[in-house]
Amino acid sequence: MLVGRKQPRIPRRFLAQVFSPLDPLYAESVSVENVSLRGARVATVRAWARDSQVVVKFTSAELRAKSARVVYCQAVSDKEFAVGLEFLRPWIAA
């Protein structure tokens, strides 16, 4: 039975960087498609393995970098992937 999301996603497009904590010099610029307190969906040119740990560094000064794990990675085209990220420490709702 599908219950739905615990937190609503906010459709908001902005840029961020995603990189592996094991290889922080290789940061990929990504487009954030939507975000919630618990995670985000980003568009990448790299296929990320499920359960990989990553760091998301947001370009917005109001948002701090977040550690996350890859929940899914779906091919959108030959050169683009949609990646679902779950933040390891969710933001606290105000």
Side-chain angles (χ1 to χ4, degrees):
M1 177 190 291
L2 186 61
V3 178
R5 296 193 178 277
K6 292 180 181 180
Q7 298 289 325
R9 294 226 175 161
I10 301 166
R12 186 173 166 206
R13 289 200 179 264
F14 54 94
L15 297 177
Q17 290 185 327
V18 174
F19 58 89
S20 166
L22 301 175
D23 189 9
L25 295 179
Y26 179 73
E28 179 183 352
S29 293
V30 300
S31 173
V32 177
E33 296 178 351
N34 60 51
V35 67
S36 75
L37 295 177
R38 297 186 154 286
R41 178 180 165 114
V42 299
T44 74
V45 295
R46 177 180 168 185
W48 291 87
R50 187 172 186 220
D51 290 326
S52 297
Q53 291 204 359
V54 298
V55 176
V56 184
K57 185 176 178 185
F58 297 98
T59 55
S60 172
E62 305 93 45
L63 302 176
R64 291 184 171 173
K66 299 291 284 181
S67 295
R69 79 173 182 91
V70 175
V71 178
Y72 65 84
C73 182
Q74 299 172 331
V76 176
S77 70
D78 290 345
K79 297 180 181 180
E80 186 178 14
F81 298 88
V83 179
L85 302 174
E86 176 184 38
F87 299 136
L88 298 181
R89 288 188 169 183
W91 274 297
I92 306 299

